[in-house]
Amino acid sequence: MTESMNVSYDTQIPNNVGLSSDRRVLKALERWHPHYLDWWRSMGPVGFQSAPVYLRTAVGVDPKGWAKFGFVRMPEYRWGILLAPAEEGRTIGFGEHLGEPVWQEVPGEYRAMLRRLIVIQGDTEPASVEQQRFLGATAPSLYDMRNAFQVNVEEGRHLWAMVYLLHKYFGRDGREEAEELLRRRSGDADSPRMLGAFNEETPDWLSFFMFTFFTDRDGKMQLESLAQSGFDPLSRTCRFMLTEEAHHMFVGQSGVGRVIARTCEAMRAAGIDDPQDVERVRALGVIDLPTIQKKANLHFSVSLDLFGSEVSTNAANYFNAGLKGRYRETRIDDDHLLLDASYPVLELVDGAVRSVDEPALTAINMRLRDDYVKECARGVERWNKIIADAGVQFRLALPHVAFNRKIGQFAAVEATPAGDLVDAATWAARRDRFLPSADDGEHIASLMRPVTERGAYASWIAPPQSGIDNKPGDFEYVRIAH
Ligand code: BYC
């Protein structure tokens, strides 16, 4: 076992970065810690803060045994700083520094760019916790409540991860940015979070599952790109964050899948064949499939905006500088410089959607987004299999990438989920067929009643196939004092 695989618990902050011998950074983090706890108490999960929750805590970075499970009160969670082990002799894998040894310090010329990337990444982590803070009160089961809290504490740890980089490598401005990360608030008119999707509400559990499926997957793609970074501490940080991220996407994939399974089961039992017979399906106390489609339309389109503009000089600069690569950069078979390469980008040309070959360097965001869309589509097919296996005639589909966009090529136009460009009035008239309506929201809200008996599940969601950490079905994942 290498040195950096051992996690030290001798400071308040578990870490494998030798904090106890790095007084300056330790002090800065210890000063930030109470501010973080204040933020957690005021903006983290509402209620349940003194309930023991069966949580996973990262205790090492060995892929075979990095976490342990146990009952923890959320404010006492051991948020630590964990970097994946250094790779001996690692070199920069792309851009103008290709083949040079990776940097252990921030190169002066790239300081501003790197800081910006780290701050944007850091900003999303507390934002998602803020968005999800009201979910505990309406959890459909103790199992689901525990999963949401798990996601929350780990997003909190991901904030720690970025704050460590800011404190360690960016001096005074890093410390100021770390404070700002606790000051901005999701949805706040004066001081919002940096990216659009992180200022949206997560009003109900279906939104939470959609968020963890679609938006956390953007997180995964962005972390994968930053894991390629020539700035080695960022790469190692992101590599370890990805270990935790896998569970978040499982929560989304399986959560939506369980909602679908329950709807199909209830329809079959009631002899309803037509999924569009929304009123009758809703009367069964489940969420109809067309509404699930609309929720997917919303969360997919909002998450696509997180990839930035399709054609972006920022992205080209990040790549050239060796700071942010492509998805699985090291596995791509090309020159990793992209100076002469091109990449097809869907664009708005003379009022129509066309594929245009753009310089591959400026199309880096687009390429990452394409990789993302492919993954989303695979997940949707898994949902469709649940529907087909239940014998229900319905297919979910991802909307067209031009649909409901606020960033990039299609921000200025209105498109239907099928990708037809329509005028604003037509779109507005059909809006409620494309996106969740007030009525859809009310139906979902009416189902959001807490279920806190061990092993019980709300009417609108099927139980999971297995428990967390192989626990039995009636396990008390959150010990709520009754
Ligand atoms: N909202 O060249 P462009 C996660 C701005 S999620 C508002 O197109 P670029 C997580 C942009 O800042 C992953 N503004 O964009 C998930 C720029 O402003 P300036 C988070 C936006 O820079 C769930 C201008 O528009 N990590 O981890 O190439 C739970 C033109 O920008 C938006 C990262 O995103 C937007 N959506 O790409 C918890 C990685 N998009 O320069 C966590 C770090 C763009 O004109 N960030 N703008 O002032 C990046 O790599 C890039 O900054 C972005 C944008 C991909 C976000």
Side-chain angles (χ1 to χ4, degrees):
M1 197 184 268
T2 59
E3 177 83 41
S4 62
M5 275 197 179
N6 293 318
V7 175
S8 147
Y9 278 87
D10 60 356
T11 58
Q12 230 185 351
I13 305 158
N15 71 91
N16 68 343
V17 294
L19 262 193
S20 52
S21 54
D22 192 346
R23 303 308 296 173
R24 183 185 65 82
V25 175
L26 179 62
K27 280 240 140 52
L29 282 170
E30 281 176 350
R31 264 197 299 272
W32 184 80
H33 195 168
H35 301 172
Y36 171 82
L37 284 176
D38 286 347
W39 167 81
W40 177 269
R41 288 204 182 88
S42 60
M43 293 311 292
V46 173
F48 310 98
Q49 294 276 358
S50 55
V53 185
Y54 193 67
L55 292 175
R56 160 179 99 170
T57 304
V59 292
V61 290
D62 182 346
K64 286 190 224 80
W66 61 275
K68 74 168 198 295
F69 285 86
F71 281 98
V72 183
R73 291 181 175 80
M74 284 186 277
E76 290 158 21
Y77 190 76
R78 298 295 298 272
W79 284 285
I81 294 159
L82 299 153
L83 271 56
E87 269 173 41
E88 195 78 29
R90 182 169 173 255
T91 55
I92 298 170
F94 55 93
E96 61 191 58
H97 302 284
L98 180 72
E100 295 173 21
V102 289
W103 304 296
Q104 299 304 333
E105 295 294 331
V106 176
E109 62 204 296
Y110 301 140
R111 195 170 190 277
M113 265 198 265
L114 254 181
R115 193 180 88 182
R116 180 185 158 97
L117 282 172
I118 292 169
V119 167
I120 294 178
Q121 180 63 47
D123 192 68
T124 62
E125 314 290 0
S128 69
V129 177
E130 292 165 2
Q131 289 172 293
Q132 296 162 12
R133 60 195 298 257
F134 297 110
L135 291 174
T138 55
S141 71
L142 293 178
Y143 166 91
D144 289 291
M145 189 193 286
R146 175 261 166 223
N147 281 350
F149 292 160
Q150 182 73 63
V151 168
N152 293 159
V153 292
E154 285 175 350
E155 299 301 4
R157 204 199 67 72
H158 293 177
L159 170 62
W160 275 87
M162 292 302 126
V163 164
Y164 167 70
L165 295 176
L166 290 169
H167 278 175
K168 168 98 181 148
Y169 298 99
F170 294 87
R172 175 205 279 257
D173 6 325
R175 290 195 293 280
E176 283 168 8
E177 293 283 16
E179 290 299 328
E180 288 296 297
L181 287 169
L182 296 178
R183 199 182 57 78
R184 285 186 290 272
R185 293 280 182 270
S186 175
D188 191 285
D190 301 324
S191 183
R193 292 294 174 183
M194 297 173 86
L195 301 178
F198 294 89
N199 289 303
E200 300 275 331
E201 284 182 11
T202 307
D204 58 67
W205 279 79
L206 183 55
S207 294
F208 171 65
F209 294 135
M210 290 289 179
F211 183 97
T212 43
F213 181 85
F214 286 112
T215 307
D216 274 277
R217 193 175 310 280
D218 165 60
K220 170 190 158 176
M221 302 306 286
Q222 301 292 347
L223 290 174
E224 289 272 5
S225 312
L226 295 173
Q228 306 292 333
S229 186
F231 179 48
D232 206 38
L234 176 61
S235 161
R236 292 174 54 200
T237 301
C238 292
R239 269 187 278 147
F240 186 71
M241 289 161 75
L242 284 163
T243 319
E244 291 161 315
E245 206 64 45
H247 174 67
H248 305 190
M249 266 159 299
F250 161 81
V251 169
Q253 177 84 52
S254 63
V256 177
R258 288 163 52 215
V259 178
I260 292 169
R262 180 68 196 109
T263 301
C264 293
E265 182 191 39
M267 284 172 63
R268 290 298 302 257
I272 302 174
D273 292 328
D274 181 6
Q276 305 296 340
D277 197 347
V278 167
E279 287 316 311
R280 279 180 72 208
V281 174
R282 286 186 177 179
L284 304 173
V286 296
I287 305 174
D288 53 286
L289 297 174
T291 295
I292 295 174
Q293 174 69 64
K294 287 192 251 178
K295 280 276 199 188
N297 289 351
L298 173 66
H299 287 267
F300 178 67
S301 56
V302 166
S303 300
L304 289 181
D305 280 343
L306 293 171
F307 289 82
S309 309
E310 292 83 349
V311 177
S312 161
T313 47
N314 281 345
N317 292 338
Y318 296 148
F319 184 87
N320 255 336
L323 302 179
K324 186 181 175 199
R326 291 169 293 175
Y327 183 51
R328 300 189 168 156
E329 181 73 42
T330 48
R331 297 196 214 165
I332 299 174
D333 184 18
D334 64 14
D335 67 2
H336 304 280
L337 298 171
L338 304 182
L339 297 176
D340 308 313
S342 62
Y343 189 84
V345 175
L346 279 189
E347 291 182 17
L348 200 58
V349 185
D350 301 331
V353 180
R354 296 253 151 70
S355 176
V356 178
D357 281 341
E358 292 284 353
L361 260 183
T362 53
I364 293 277
N365 286 346
M366 182 70 209
R367 181 177 176 131
L368 188 65
R369 202 185 78 192
D370 282 344
D371 289 332
Y372 167 82
V373 172
K374 277 184 222 145
E375 256 204 37
C376 289
R378 280 199 292 273
V380 171
E381 280 320 306
R382 290 213 233 158
W383 294 336
N384 279 330
K385 187 163 183 315
I386 297 172
I387 302 174
D389 288 352
V392 173
Q393 300 294 317
F394 189 88
R395 277 184 67 74
L396 291 163
L398 293 174
H400 193 277
V401 293
F403 170 74
N404 194 37
R405 299 298 307 283
K406 302 284 179 283
I407 300 275
Q409 287 288 322
F410 305 112
V413 293
E414 299 297 357
T416 67
D420 298 323
L421 299 182
V422 292
D423 60 52
T426 308
W427 197 90
R430 294 200 216 156
R431 186 214 168 273
D432 286 357
R433 278 192 258 162
F434 303 154
L435 291 169
S437 65
D439 182 50
D440 300 333
E442 272 167 35
H443 172 62
I444 297 175
S446 76
L447 298 177
M448 297 296 123
R449 303 256 176 273
V451 175
T452 53
E453 292 83 48
R454 297 160 60 145
Y457 288 84
S459 66
W460 53 272
I461 189 165
Q465 272 164 8
S466 53
I468 291 295
D469 192 31
N470 290 321
K471 292 297 175 207
D474 63 349
F475 188 70
E476 194 174 16
Y477 289 100
V478 184
R479 289 188 184 145
I480 303 167
H482 286 287

